[in-house]
Amino acid sequence: MRYLAVFGVALSLGCISAAEAPSNYQTYTGIRVDSDPVLLARYDRALSYCERESVSWRGSPDTRSLRYNTALRNCFYRRSFVDRGYYAYPATQVFDHFLDR
C-alpha cells in the first residue's frame, strides 16, 4: 500500500508543468492575467520574485526539474495566481477525449 502511495505522489509531481505565460494564469476570482494591464504588471513582479525563489532555497537550480516547477507554482499560488484549468497539466492533453469513446 505504501508503494502505491509513493507511486501516486511521484506520478502527480510528474504531471506538473511550469507554464510561465500570463495567458495560462488567472486570479482566484477568475480574472485572466492577460486581460488587465494592472494584473499583468503584478504578475510580472510575481514572476521575477518566484523565479528567484524557485532557483534558490525553495526549489532547484535546474529549471527543468520537478522541484523547480513545484516551487514556482507554489509561489504563484501564494501570490494569488492559479492555473486556468484544462491546459494547466500536460496529462489532461494526453487523455483529451479518452472517456468520450
Side-chain angles (χ1 to χ4, degrees), residues 62-98:
D62 181 18
T63 59
R64 294 174 303 198
S65 71
L66 295 176
R67 188 170 179 185
Y68 171 83
N69 293 345
T70 305
L72 183 69
R73 186 164 289 189
N74 184 13
C75 183
F76 276 140
Y77 286 151
R78 284 185 283 121
R79 304 252 179 240
S80 76
F81 294 110
V82 294
D83 289 320
R84 288 192 328 117
Y86 181 76
Y87 294 105
Y89 300 97
T92 56
Q93 294 174 2
V94 173
F95 300 109
D96 186 17
H97 296 289
F98 179 75

Side-chain angles (χ1 to χ4, degrees), residues 36-57:
D36 184 17
V38 174
L39 277 177
L40 194 57
R42 208 174 103 214
Y43 173 82
D44 288 337
R45 285 192 305 273
L47 178 62
S48 68
Y49 177 80
C50 290
E51 282 179 336
R52 287 192 312 268
E53 181 181 297
S54 299
V55 170
S56 63
W57 56 280

Side-chain angles (χ1 to χ4, degrees), residues 7-48:
F7 178 71
V9 168
L11 187 62
S12 67
L13 287 175
C15 294
I16 293 175
S17 68
E20 299 170 4
S23 60
N24 292 336
Y25 285 91
Q26 66 185 14
T27 62
Y28 285 141
T29 57
I31 301 169
R32 288 181 56 160
V33 170
D34 58 352
S35 66
D36 184 17
V38 174
L39 277 177
L40 194 57
R42 208 174 103 214
Y43 173 82
D44 288 337
R45 285 192 305 273
L47 178 62
S48 68

